[in-house]
Amino acid sequence: MDKNETFFTLLLSSMSAIRHFHTPSSQLRLMEVCVNIASGNKSTYFREMQRLQRFFPSLHRRALLAPFILSANQTLSSYAIEYFFNTHQTKPTSHQRDCCCGELQFTKPELIFIFKTFNQVTQLKAEKRCIRADFLLKPTANKKLLFQCPDLCMTLTEESYGDWEPRNRTATPEADFELIDCPQAAKILRTTAANIKHLINSGIIKGFKLHYPGGPRTSLLSIKAFNDKYILRSEIAKQTGLSNEKLREILKKTTPLIIQGFPYARNIPIYKRAQLPSELTTALNTRNNFPIRTITDGKSLLTFSQAAEQLKLDLKDISQLIKIGILQTVFVPNQTEKKGRDYCTGESVTQAKVWRKGYLTVQEAALSCHSNGHMLHSHFLATGFIKPLALKKTFLINLEDVTKIAHHLKTYTCPSWLVKEYNYPLMKIVRLIESGGIQPLIPGDSNFIVGRITIPRSEAQNIITLHISKKYDTNPQNKKPD
């Protein structure tokens, strides 16, 4: 995609994300914001978000960022997520009389993101604090149902809705910003994914659930910030090796912060590192915080679980790698020499790690291509366009095919993607295809995907941009019937 295409794609996506913020006094300013965002520069995006926040000084940034975070455009979404995590915002002490927060319009998914759960949105609707937008009381085929909150700023100051920080902090872009899921965070903090979820829900760790499967996401920086200030009791026990009785004796004068889990589940005790007894602090500092068993020589023996961890695969995939000759095993009897178990040899695991570098899992490929695993599987693997190496639990895609997928995503699209990218009605796209306005690929083309309508992205963008510009042409003389 060349610079002009990138610019117009970002412009249309930012206009779509910001369309619900239009008020009579903000039209020109918001259009300028969209044009600046379309440059694709992360620093510029951050500046424009700060500018938007100045328009609504009492409004929590969740509401401003929701349309961007939920945008189908991966660039806008990733920038917005990073801005959300790196900005700190204190609870406002006053609300401007002329604030236009009640005029802002949101879709249902945006409301759920802003107020965290579907149930809380339903409650607000029941209390008439979230109402349908006046100009659109019924959804139509071409328009989504929109909602307004008459007192949005003050509603978000309530404890159950807004996550406010003790101090304000202006976000700055980072070169290595990374989102992680609960299992990844749990591995770093030596706890369970469920505990990480509770810590996120309680606000101790900054995070949120987006349109990802598998629970909420947080960032490496958020985990580091938590780890610098707090430590879980379970982590203290694992790092020091102390018994429960001994640990209880040492900590009896230190009051933990108790995080509530699910009903009938155990609570999660955490401690502030600054308040730990000196003997415990010394013991923690002399331990390796993140021990990982590594292969030291070719004679090492690893369990199947350790081999799976080294290769970043599922445990059940190891038997398949043994069957196809990637891994070698040896049988090690126990002390009675009547029973024993197979172990992977260190040499074969070392060679398998070199082999593994030539492949990506579906999720790894999705991250590389700025897409999502479900879409990659249904669009490229299930259709036979790409033939992966199928293990028992994991599909592996070689790097050449990953490059092929990335090129296809940049060069081609399909009707359902166009709907999300341009907020353009599906039936209008279908009519353009049927009338010959947009020419899809035909069978026999090397980029044709069986069972999918494959369209050159640049052609579709030009046609849809032309139709959108006609729709919003303010000169009555230039208007033509759709």
Side-chain angles (χ1 to χ4, degrees):
M1 190 180 292
D2 62 28
K3 290 184 178 180
N4 287 335
E5 287 180 300
T6 302
F7 175 84
F8 282 110
T9 299
L10 280 172
L11 179 61
L12 289 171
S13 297
S14 59
M15 288 171 64
S16 177
I18 217 168
R19 68 191 184 280
H20 302 330
F21 293 107
H22 284 190
T23 62
S25 61
S26 65
Q27 295 277 0
L28 291 177
R29 288 183 296 177
L30 292 177
M31 191 62 207
E32 184 181 349
V33 169
C34 291
V35 172
N36 291 338
I37 289 174
S39 68
N41 182 279
K42 191 194 292 188
S43 297
T44 302
Y45 176 87
F46 275 42
R47 284 197 300 272
E48 294 306 321
M49 288 301 103
Q50 290 159 14
R51 192 174 167 192
L52 266 182
Q53 282 193 277
R54 288 195 291 272
F55 291 165
F56 303 95
S58 305
L59 185 61
H60 196 283
R61 63 188 181 281
R62 292 180 76 94
L64 292 174
L65 292 170
F68 291 95
I69 288 177
L70 299 180
S71 171
N73 187 288
Q74 291 296 318
T75 300
L76 285 186
S77 181
S78 63
Y79 286 180
I81 290 170
E82 182 177 346
Y83 185 89
F84 173 84
F85 271 101
N86 290 351
T87 300
H88 287 190
Q89 188 178 5
T90 58
K91 182 185 290 190
T93 56
S94 62
H95 189 207
Q96 291 179 318
R97 287 186 177 181
D98 58 348
C99 181
C100 299
C101 63
E103 299 177 25
L104 304 183
Q105 303 148 20
F106 301 97
T107 63
K108 186 180 291 185
E110 290 165 356
L111 282 178
I112 294 172
F113 173 78
I114 293 168
F115 294 106
K116 300 183 179 179
T117 68
F118 174 80
N119 287 343
Q120 295 199 133
V121 172
T122 303
Q123 181 67 29
L124 287 172
K125 289 179 180 177
E127 296 173 5
K128 307 303 180 186
R129 291 199 287 166
C130 180
I131 59 176
R132 292 183 182 183
D134 292 336
F135 75 96
L136 183 60
L137 295 179
K138 292 184 179 180
T140 65
N142 297 334
K143 290 187 177 181
K144 296 179 181 178
L145 187 59
L146 300 177
F147 297 87
Q148 295 173 315
C149 299
D151 200 9
L152 180 59
C153 286
M154 298 313 295
T155 301
L156 285 171
T157 61
E158 296 178 17
E159 185 176 349
S160 57
Y161 300 131
D163 298 321
W164 304 94
E165 288 81 17
R167 289 177 296 277
N168 288 318
R169 187 180 77 181
T170 302
T172 55
E174 297 171 9
D176 55 352
F177 179 81
E178 182 181 354
L179 275 184
I180 57 175
D181 58 21
C182 288
Q184 291 170 317
K187 189 173 181 180
I188 295 172
L189 296 179
R190 294 185 171 193
T191 186
T192 64
N195 282 350
I196 296 295
K197 186 175 181 180
H198 296 321
L199 290 169
I200 290 174
N201 290 341
S202 69
I204 296 294
I205 294 177
K206 184 182 286 188
F208 58 81
K209 184 169 184 178
L210 199 52
H211 37 27
Y212 298 103
R217 292 297 199 270
T218 183
S219 70
L220 278 175
L221 282 177
S222 297
I223 294 299
K224 183 181 183 303
F226 171 85
N227 198 50
D228 288 344
K229 187 175 182 180
Y230 300 102
I231 186 167
L232 285 87
R233 190 185 188 282
S234 58
E235 187 179 357
I236 296 174
K238 289 177 182 177
Q239 286 194 36
T240 60
L242 295 171
S243 65
N244 281 333
E245 185 179 351
K246 181 65 175 176
L247 195 56
R248 193 180 302 115
E249 176 66 23
I250 295 174
L251 290 171
K252 66 180 180 181
K253 294 183 179 180
T254 307
T255 304
L257 178 64
I258 302 297
I259 305 301
Q260 299 292 328
F262 287 124
Y264 310 111
R266 289 183 179 180
N267 295 328
I268 308 166
I270 64 175
Y271 294 84
K272 288 187 176 182
R273 289 182 180 270
Q275 297 176 355
L276 291 177
S278 58
E279 57 183 308
L280 205 54
T281 304
T282 303
L284 289 169
N285 290 339
T286 56
R287 298 277 180 159
N288 180 4
N289 285 335
F290 308 108
I292 298 175
R293 180 173 177 179
T294 56
I295 302 168
T296 56
D297 56 63
K299 297 180 181 179
S300 302
L301 296 178
L302 289 89
T303 64
F304 287 8
S305 177
Q306 290 166 338
E309 183 178 359
Q310 295 282 339
L311 296 172
K312 298 181 180 179
L313 294 172
D314 191 275
L315 175 60
K316 294 182 179 179
D317 294 327
I318 299 302
S319 60
Q320 185 76 8
L321 293 180
I322 294 169
K323 189 178 293 185
I324 64 179
I326 299 295
L327 290 173
Q328 304 296 324
T329 62
V330 294
F331 180 79
V332 179
N334 62 11
Q335 292 179 350
T336 64
E337 297 188 0
K338 291 181 179 179
K339 295 181 180 179
R341 62 186 294 185
D342 286 324
Y343 286 81
C344 295
T345 65
E347 183 180 3
S348 69
V349 174
T350 300
Q351 294 171 351
K353 288 176 74 174
V354 176
W355 166 84
R356 174 71 170 82
K357 290 179 180 178
Y359 291 86
L360 296 181
T361 64
V362 174
Q363 291 298 332
E364 290 168 347
L367 286 173
S368 174
C369 298
H370 305 291
S371 184
N372 68 76
H374 176 74
M375 189 279 291
L376 249 63
H377 191 280
S378 63
H379 200 77
F380 297 105
L381 276 61
T383 59
F385 186 75
I386 295 295
K387 297 189 182 301
L389 172 62
L391 303 179
K392 284 202 171 180
K393 293 286 288 184
T394 309
F395 288 101
L396 292 177
I397 307 172
N398 65 50
L399 296 182
E400 184 179 345
D401 282 340
V402 172
T403 302
K404 184 178 179 181
I405 290 172
H407 171 74
H408 201 282
L409 288 171
K410 288 181 180 180
T411 312
Y412 301 97
T413 185
C414 65
S416 60
W417 298 354
L418 290 172
V419 171
K420 294 179 181 178
E421 291 171 9
Y422 297 102
N423 195 35
Y424 200 67
L426 177 61
M427 291 310 300
K428 288 192 175 183
I429 295 172
V430 171
R431 286 198 291 269
L432 284 172
I433 295 171
E434 291 174 346
S435 65
I438 296 177
Q439 297 285 341
L441 300 184
I442 60 174
D445 191 294
S446 61
N447 289 295
F448 176 80
I449 296 179
V450 178
R452 296 286 189 272
I453 300 174
T454 308
I455 305 167
R457 186 176 288 277
S458 58
E459 177 186 337
Q461 177 184 322
N462 292 337
I463 296 296
I464 291 176
T465 303
L466 178 63
H467 278 252
I468 290 176
S469 64
K470 287 181 179 178
K471 179 178 178 180
Y472 290 103
D473 191 343
T474 56
N475 188 345
Q477 296 180 355
N478 297 334
K479 285 192 175 181
K480 295 180 181 180
D482 197 358

